[in-house]
Amino acid sequence: MELNELTKRLTLALSEKGYTICTAEECTCGLLGATIASQDYSQRWYRGTITVYTEDEAVKVLGVTPKVTRRTDFVSCQVALQMALKALSLFNTNIAVSIIGYVDGYGSSDVPSGEVQICVAKSVDKSTSFKYKKLHVNGGQRGKNLEVVIDEAL
């Protein structure tokens, strides 16, 4: 499905339920937030994006636990969850989407090139739930990979 169509479906669902959304992004550099905010009247349900591109910024800005980043080589579902939960709290929204990973030709000894973690945290009626999605995109094709990641996050 085309990104614009996915974004319209998301915004319609948010509007119908009266939910608000924010994002915490690493490898996508705020692209998900910009995609969501591109819709008309987005200020009604979109609250903002925090972009942290390094482990140090994730620890300082989003309170990601250094012990977890060291144990998991930074790109992990645990880090994605911590990012999403902090964004929920900072923006006081119902939904937070976090994205972390390697969308280009880089990777590490523990995390291969092309691995991306997406976490969606939802807080409604004092109950918080979350979902993870682990993606593998074709390392080295950054522009195309970003489209795939944003499509999956929506």
Side-chain angles (χ1 to χ4, degrees):
M1 190 175 295
E2 187 179 312
L3 278 180
N4 195 36
E5 182 61 30
L6 287 169
T7 309
K8 285 180 182 178
R9 289 175 69 183
L10 171 68
T11 59
L12 180 61
L14 290 168
S15 294
E16 286 176 354
K17 293 182 183 271
Y19 289 172
T20 54
I21 191 170
C22 66
T23 68
E25 303 179 56
E26 186 260 347
C27 60
T28 50
C29 298
L31 187 58
L32 177 61
T35 301
I36 295 169
S38 71
Q39 296 297 302
D40 291 338
Y41 308 108
S42 60
Q43 71 276 12
R44 292 181 181 166
W45 33 262
Y46 174 65
R47 297 296 179 258
T49 295
I50 295 176
T51 302
V52 292
Y53 204 62
T54 68
E55 182 178 335
D56 288 343
E57 276 71 40
V59 169
K60 283 189 281 188
V61 176
L62 290 172
V64 173
T65 309
K67 184 178 179 181
V68 172
T69 64
R70 285 190 300 273
R71 188 177 71 233
T72 63
D73 196 28
F74 190 46
V75 176
S76 69
C77 60
Q78 295 95 338
V79 172
L81 175 61
Q82 287 186 9
M83 289 171 62
L85 291 175
K86 185 63 172 190
L88 270 179
S89 172
L90 288 171
F91 287 106
N92 193 29
T93 59
N94 302 104
I95 299 170
V97 181
S98 66
I99 304 173
I100 187 168
Y102 297 114
V103 294
D104 47 25
Y106 298 98
S108 72
S109 59
D110 295 326
V111 180
S113 171
E115 183 172 309
V116 177
Q117 300 278 346
I118 300 172
C119 180
V120 178
K122 181 177 173 184
S123 180
V124 178
D125 298 327
K126 299 182 183 179
S127 175
T128 303
S129 60
F130 50 90
K131 290 184 192 178
Y132 296 109
K133 181 149 194 169
K134 183 179 190 177
L135 300 177
H136 290 280
V137 294
N138 184 12
Q141 300 178 5
R142 186 171 181 79
K144 184 177 179 183
N145 292 344
L146 285 171
E147 286 182 30
V148 170
V149 172
I150 298 305
D151 183 74
E152 289 293 328
L154 288 170

